[in-house]
Amino acid sequence: MLNLSGKGVKKLISTKINNVIPKNVINNQKRSYATPLQMPTKGRESLQDTIFGQDLEAGLPLNENLSVARLSKGHSRMLQINRPRESNRMTSEVARDLLYQLKVLNNNPMVKLLIFSGVGKGFLSAGYDTRELKHLLENNEVEKLYTFLRNTYKLSYYVTTCETPTLGVISGAMIGPGVALGAFANYSVATPGSIFACPEVSYGYFPDCGTTFLLSNMNKKYPGLGTFIGLTGTQIHSSDLVHCGVANYFSIETLGTYIMERVGQVATGLNREELHDCIIENVEGTIPPLSFGFELFKIKKHFDGKNSVEEIIESLHKTVKSAKATLPEREWADRILTNFSYMSPLSLKITFRAIKENENLSLEQIFQRDYRITTRLIHKQDFSEGIKALLEGTEPKWQYETLGEVTDSVLDDLFKPLTLENDKDCDLTLPGEPFNEDQVLRTIKKNKNIVVVTKQ
């Protein structure tokens, strides 16, 4: 966990910083829509920038808005999201340029190491830029919206298949599509300021871009934990990311810059064995124990082995009413139920089903399935209401008021394969032709009589 001392700092974090993502149930905090869920800014840095992480040198800007930068030293390259005031959120421009750079650098034999980072302090990436998503939806710019989503998904998947060794230093919060840059790198390094969370269910969405793959693997190590994290939005901090399988190693925030310096000093470049030794010798050999290990028995009891969200809620209700349960256990279960009352019933069921069925899917199939859900879910009332709640601080009005109203047929319509007859988009092609779907869209627009075979 983060070691922050002082009453002033604790008060500042509880009143401001935790508004960015759903508050931690483990730390006895409750979710509220009383204030806008956005990060206040102070000058050119966010408020959280003043507390977490270290300053990072910005590299060469790669676009007009300076939102993506590349730092080059010797045989290593660092790709940076340069939007510190916006918590390094993913825009269509950032996704497009990062994907392009990743493809170019992966095919460059002179590059021996790729490093992903966010400029500023406090965030590797805080997920999608919800303002841009809201703008594209309100103006019905469907083609731009789908291009944005496709590039984001392909960027996330390309990180997992990149042939050049990759290093992701998780300095600050890592949410949504930003998870791939940190967690899916070959060397995923957690730091004292690392935060991993899945707040999507609180604004009518779900953990996308393969995040449920991590949650499913988490369930294998700690039964029920991945489901708990996905449904409640609870944060995981610091070295706990290593215990939970989100990161591989634990070190300091400046590891990426230090490794670049080391690799840059070698004129002929490093082979993979030498590069591996260079990274391993600079990470911690031993890490602190899991900070919330005492909670695992309760999480396993209520979240493991359940076949539906309703079963989880029923189990929690039994504990709240049970005379045999201890007072802390009853209070814990009551906090979880209170947290669920703010969540989208549709998003809860989508997330639960996605985690559950990952056991029989490959990572590529998970990306394809997540993309199908995304292209349909963004047009639902829950997503628009959730985005409005994030940006304006209002309380969302969900399409389905109860879990019972979200039937299996509703979920089947979201999970089924896409077809060009019924959907405005088609399945992803991963990772070969990154802009293949754009070509398909243009072809359909020019020739509306094109015959398309239904995908099974």
Side-chain angles (χ1 to χ4, degrees):
M1 299 293 289
L2 298 172
N3 293 321
L4 298 176
S5 59
K7 295 182 179 179
V9 175
K10 291 182 179 179
K11 182 178 180 181
L12 181 66
I13 293 175
S14 64
T15 57
K16 296 290 184 182
I17 293 178
N18 282 328
N19 283 336
V20 181
I21 46 185
K23 300 181 179 180
N24 197 335
V25 177
I26 288 178
N27 289 338
N28 301 338
Q29 298 168 335
K30 297 182 180 180
R31 174 65 193 274
S32 174
Y33 286 99
T35 56
L37 300 179
Q38 58 187 12
M39 176 60 64
T41 58
K42 180 181 179 181
R44 296 186 58 83
E45 293 182 324
S46 67
L47 181 62
Q48 190 160 350
D49 285 350
T50 63
I51 299 178
F52 298 115
Q54 299 288 333
D55 280 320
L56 181 66
E57 176 187 357
L60 176 69
L62 299 177
N63 53 41
E64 294 181 356
N65 293 324
L66 314 180
S67 59
V68 176
R70 183 183 67 204
L71 190 62
S72 303
K73 290 187 179 179
H75 295 271
S76 60
R77 302 290 185 271
M78 179 180 289
L79 294 178
Q80 304 166 313
I81 302 178
N82 187 21
R83 305 184 74 226
R85 290 191 63 186
E86 292 79 18
S87 308
N88 290 328
R89 295 183 183 275
M90 189 75 67
T91 64
S92 56
E93 181 183 64
V94 170
R96 179 199 66 201
D97 292 344
L98 281 179
L99 175 61
Y100 175 77
Q101 287 296 317
L102 187 56
K103 283 176 61 66
V104 170
L105 295 175
N106 186 41
N107 295 323
N108 187 344
M110 297 299 294
V111 178
K112 304 299 181 182
L113 176 66
L114 287 173
I115 304 172
F116 305 113
S117 69
V119 176
K121 310 169 188 174
F123 289 92
L124 172 60
S125 176
Y128 290 105
D129 189 314
T130 51
R131 296 182 188 277
E132 181 174 1
L133 289 176
K134 184 174 183 289
H135 171 78
L136 294 175
L137 284 169
E138 289 179 346
N139 291 277
N140 198 31
E141 299 183 42
V142 178
E143 187 167 343
K144 290 184 180 180
L145 177 61
Y146 284 152
T147 300
F148 177 16
L149 295 173
R150 278 194 301 272
N151 288 343
T152 303
Y153 268 82
K154 288 173 182 177
L155 169 66
S156 300
Y157 185 77
Y158 209 85
V159 172
T160 70
T161 60
C162 187
E163 295 181 2
T164 303
T166 54
L167 169 65
V169 181
I170 310 170
S171 178
M174 177 180 68
I175 304 170
V179 170
L181 301 178
F184 289 157
N186 298 129
Y187 299 94
S188 176
V189 182
T191 67
S194 296
I195 301 175
F196 169 74
C198 300
E200 291 85 356
V201 290
S202 66
Y203 59 87
Y205 197 52
F206 77 108
D208 66 344
C209 290
T211 303
T212 56
F213 175 78
L214 298 174
L215 299 177
S216 298
N217 288 342
M218 209 179 291
N219 280 338
K220 296 176 182 178
K221 186 171 184 180
Y222 300 111
L225 180 60
T227 304
F228 171 76
I229 297 297
L231 296 182
T232 64
T234 300
Q235 305 168 20
I236 303 177
H237 296 252
S238 190
S239 59
D240 290 345
L241 273 70
V242 180
H243 290 290
C244 296
V246 178
N248 301 332
Y249 307 101
F250 184 66
S251 186
I252 59 175
E253 290 89 344
T254 55
L255 175 67
T257 304
Y258 178 73
I259 295 298
M260 282 196 72
E261 295 286 350
R262 290 286 304 275
V263 175
Q265 293 173 1
V266 182
T268 59
L270 299 174
N271 58 39
R272 287 180 179 262
E273 290 75 17
E274 293 171 333
L275 179 62
H276 175 78
D277 293 340
C278 179
I279 295 175
I280 295 301
E281 69 183 16
N282 290 287
V283 299
E284 295 293 331
T286 58
I287 59 176
L290 190 67
S291 64
F292 56 91
F294 58 92
E295 304 277 9
L296 291 178
F297 82 97
K298 292 182 287 189
I299 293 173
K300 180 178 180 180
K301 175 182 177 181
H302 298 293
F303 288 84
D304 182 44
K306 301 298 187 293
N307 296 316
S308 66
V309 181
E310 288 88 342
E311 287 188 15
I312 293 175
I313 292 178
E314 182 182 357
S315 176
L316 292 168
H317 274 300
K318 288 181 179 179
T319 298
V320 171
K321 297 176 181 179
S322 175
K324 296 181 180 180
T326 62
L327 178 60
E329 189 173 1
R330 292 198 300 271
E331 291 177 344
W332 182 87
D334 185 60
R335 286 195 300 272
I336 300 295
L337 291 171
T338 302
N339 199 26
F340 278 157
S341 68
Y342 294 109
M343 304 300 188
S344 161
L346 178 60
S347 294
L348 284 171
K349 283 207 165 184
I350 290 174
T351 303
F352 181 85
R353 176 167 169 174
I355 296 173
K356 195 77 172 176
E357 71 175 21
N358 281 356
E359 300 173 359
N360 302 317
L361 300 177
S362 65
L363 183 58
E364 180 173 344
Q365 290 173 325
I366 291 173
F367 269 86
Q368 294 279 8
R369 183 219 45 210
D370 287 357
Y371 180 70
R372 296 166 189 165
I373 299 172
T374 295
T375 56
R376 290 158 175 154
L377 189 59
I378 57 176
H379 299 291
K380 296 288 187 181
Q381 174 183 327
D382 283 19
F383 184 72
S384 59
E385 284 289 319
I387 293 299
K388 183 179 178 181
L390 279 172
L391 298 177
E392 301 176 11
T394 59
E395 186 170 354
K397 298 178 181 178
W398 306 125
Q399 180 179 357
Y400 305 97
E401 295 183 359
T402 63
L403 290 168
E405 296 178 19
V406 185
T407 62
D408 290 340
S409 62
V410 172
L411 295 177
D412 291 340
D413 288 340
L414 293 169
F415 278 74
K416 67 183 181 182
L418 296 172
T419 59
L420 287 173
E421 292 90 323
N422 301 318
D423 298 286
K424 297 181 180 180
D425 206 356
C426 59
D427 278 348
L428 256 61
T429 300
L430 297 170
E433 297 294 335
F435 302 107
N436 181 59
E437 290 81 2
D438 295 330
Q439 297 169 5
V440 172
L441 281 171
R442 286 194 291 270
T443 302
I444 295 174
K445 181 176 290 187
K446 292 179 180 178
N447 182 10
K448 296 183 179 180
N449 295 324
I450 185 172
V451 178
V452 182
V453 178
T454 304
K455 296 183 180 181
Q456 301 297 328

